Amino acid sequence: MASSAFFEETVRFANDHDICTVHDFAYGAISFDGVKHPSFMQTKGAKENGIEIYTLSKTYNMAGWRVGFAVGNRSVIKHLNVLQDHQYVSLFGAVQRAATTALTSSQAGVTELQQMYEKRRNVLVQEAKRIGWAQQAPKGSFFAWFKVPNGMSETEFATQLLHEAHVAVAPGNGFGEHGRGYVRIGLVNDETKIKEAMSRIQALNLF
Amino acid sequence: MKQYAASTMIRRLPEQYFSKLEKSIVALKSQGADIINLAQGSPDQPTPDHIIKSLQEAAADPQFHRYSPFQGFSFFKEAVAEFYKDQYDVDLDPNEEVCILFGGKGGLVEVSQCLLNRGDVALVPDPGYPDYWSGVAMQEANMHMMPLRHEHGSFLSMKTFQLGCAMKQSCYSSTTRTTRQGGGVFCVF
């Protein structure tokens, strides 16, 4: 999760090298331990340097609705609008109306959602520790990146989990070379399922 | 049936890594396996009722049955500006500094289409969201990966200024001055 200090460094670096920064803020609302993720746009110079992309998918459980927005640098916003003029005629107006409701009415539901993911995170970390797979707790988003047991590749580990424990996790190499050695675990299941998944993994005696 | 060749752009697109994983999961499920799917990234909770109700009411409104304004309704962009003010104390001009996107995924591809020319460079985090790669490939631009370090339960970015020197070197050697002037480098994270 990016910090304000990192954002300041990014603006400095980006301006020095004539680089447009694009901050993907999809998980902006899903932060844990009392910390609120800062927006890149809060950093001095960020709005002039680049853009931030926000989506309603995670914050409001609207993944299927296809609603997001870009904010920031005027030239980039203008180019995006020009491109879209040729490809689309904007979102269905009723969806824009519902999205407006989402953004401007009470955000109590978002707080509850964030607390739900935090509880699930705690269960995941606790259960993983219980079975001998102690890992650091993620600070936000609804993913945890856990290291694969020694001697196994992330693909081997994920395949074994899927076929022998019937638990699906995403092998880290799918996200880039530096994801090797890790699997990505989602918190998009209830606590009972998370506990059950860990018990099934425990039965494989890998730790 | 006649087969038409895909455009070079389509052929440039990276392999959809997770479709293979998804197929394995579906295959096992069809054999009756009770799979606990912790691999997928789709939120499992429903959209809140008040938002659904808002859609249902608005869907019946004939003004929305006609073509929308090309760049979206002002009321929505003003709501975005209001949201950013409330949540982050950031001031945004709703007309000049907000653009509606068809989901974040669509926006990420569009950014590449708007900023990158052939041979330009995009700095992309590794590990990162594979959808970052698609737009770059479409534009025949090059990705330079920014390796992230895993620490305290999350991936942290390496010091960007350390990266900057290496990136700057490769940026200048792989792109022409003209494309760079067009803002042909971006960094996404």
Side-chain angles (χ1 to χ4, degrees), chain A residues 24 47 52 61 84 101 178 186, chain B residues 38 47 54 84 91 110 126:
Chain A
D24 178 2
K47 202 167 71 158
E52 181 161 85
N61 300 312
Q84 290 188 359
T101 301
H178 285 80
Chain B
L38 302 177
T47 306
S54 182
Y84 259 77
D91 293 306
E110 286 177 13
D126 176 356

Side-chain angles (χ1 to χ4, degrees), chain A residues 13 17 20 22 24 36 42 47 52 61 68 70-72 84 96 101 120 166 168 175-176 178 184 186 189 200, chain B residues 34 36-39 44 47 54 73 84 87-88 91 97 99-101 110 126 128 132 164 180 186-187 189:
Chain A
F13 163 62
H17 301 295
C20 173
V22 177
D24 178 2
K36 179 170 174 161
Q42 289 174 299
K47 202 167 71 158
E52 181 161 85
N61 300 312
V71 301
Q84 290 188 359
Q96 294 188 47
T101 301
R120 290 175 177 185
H166 290 166
F175 303 90
H178 285 80
R184 190 194 74 172
N189 269 284
R200 290 187 196 178
Chain B
D34 169 29
I36 299 177
N37 193 346
L38 302 177
D44 63 305
T47 306
S54 182
F73 285 100
Y84 259 77
Q87 295 292 319
Y88 304 108
D91 293 306
E97 294 174 331
C99 174
I100 297 170
L101 301 173
E110 286 177 13
D126 176 356
Y132 297 156
R180 286 296 313 283
F186 75 73
C187 152
F189 63 93

Side-chain angles (χ1 to χ4, degrees), chain B residues 1-169:
Chain B
M1 188 195 69
K2 188 156 170 54
Q3 293 282 355
Y4 294 95
S7 65
T8 49
M9 186 275 278
I10 294 284
R11 284 185 269 138
R12 266 199 305 275
L13 294 173
E15 192 195 339
Q16 273 288 358
Y17 186 86
F18 294 103
S19 63
K20 193 172 159 205
L21 174 64
E22 215 178 82
K23 284 194 179 101
S24 310
I25 295 172
V26 167
L28 283 168
K29 274 189 173 163
S30 70
Q31 290 161 26
D34 169 29
I35 307 281
I36 299 177
N37 193 346
L38 302 177
Q40 52 105 14
S42 191
D44 63 305
Q45 297 295 298
T47 306
D49 285 337
H50 66 289
I51 300 170
I52 296 173
K53 194 153 176 282
S54 182
L55 173 72
Q56 288 168 333
E57 283 166 8
D61 185 344
Q63 72 157 313
F64 296 134
H65 303 168
R66 299 194 279 275
Y67 288 115
S68 300
F70 270 59
Q71 296 178 7
F73 285 100
S74 299
F75 65 73
F76 180 31
K77 294 200 277 191
E78 281 158 15
V80 171
E82 190 184 316
F83 177 78
Y84 259 77
K85 187 69 188 168
D86 284 344
Q87 295 292 319
Y88 304 108
D89 197 25
V90 166
D91 293 306
L92 293 170
D93 181 317
N95 291 316
E96 306 289 326
E97 294 174 331
V98 180
C99 174
I100 297 170
L101 301 173
F102 292 72
K105 181 180 161 118
L108 288 164
V109 170
E110 286 177 13
V111 165
S112 288
Q113 291 175 307
C114 287
L115 294 180
L116 299 177
N117 293 309
R118 179 189 302 159
D120 282 349
V121 172
L123 305 182
V124 170
D126 176 356
Y129 186 36
D131 284 358
Y132 297 156
W133 311 341
S134 309
V136 178
M138 281 183 191
Q139 295 305 106
E140 291 185 270
N142 303 307
M143 283 196 304
H144 287 211
M145 310 311 277
M146 301 188 290
L148 305 185
R149 250 187 4 242
H150 193 254
E151 204 177 284
H152 306 304
S154 61
F155 277 96
L156 301 176
S157 293
M158 284 180 62
K159 296 278 180 189
T160 51
F161 61 81
Q162 281 170 0
L163 232 61
C165 301
M167 289 303 148
K168 186 179 169 183
Q169 234 17 69

